[in-house]
Amino acid sequence: MSDLARTSRQVGTLIQRARKKRAWTQMKLAERAGLRQATISMIEHGEKPAKLETILAILAALDLEFRIGQRSKGHGSDIEELF
């Protein structure tokens, strides 16, 4: 899985997709990440910015990793087409 996200809402969407791909509930992901289910819900819906530590805990629970790369030169609207 190699996806691009530039907003907290896009990060939430990617987390939600990865969770659903594993057929996990928000509660199961929360338990594996050591978080509350409400926190998972807020992140998946982009309701509130999350701490990096929280995102990293979720990614670890999903066996995913965080990577940093050069920003592509595409238009801002191009990224929206991915979601």
Side-chain angles (χ1 to χ4, degrees):
M1 179 176 164
S2 180
D3 293 302
L4 174 65
R6 291 185 174 157
T7 67
S8 56
R9 184 163 183 81
Q10 291 168 347
V11 169
T13 298
L14 293 175
I15 287 171
Q16 183 179 54
R17 284 182 189 169
R19 174 181 62 78
K20 287 183 175 184
K21 185 176 181 180
R22 288 163 177 74
W24 291 359
T25 62
Q26 288 182 345
M27 182 60 84
K28 182 170 183 172
L29 176 54
E31 288 171 358
R32 289 179 176 254
L35 301 167
R36 299 178 321 122
Q37 179 273 328
T39 301
I40 302 297
S41 179
M42 284 190 298
I43 290 168
E44 285 187 355
H45 293 98
E47 294 174 10
K48 176 176 145 179
K51 293 180 181 178
L52 181 57
E53 180 179 297
T54 302
I55 297 296
L56 292 174
I58 292 169
L59 294 177
L62 291 167
D63 198 28
L64 298 173
E65 61 187 11
F66 179 79
R67 293 179 187 222
I68 297 175
Q70 292 291 325
R71 186 176 280 261
S72 63
K73 301 295 183 198
H75 299 291
S77 61
D78 293 345
I79 186 83
E80 295 303 324
E81 293 175 16
L82 297 174
F83 299 93

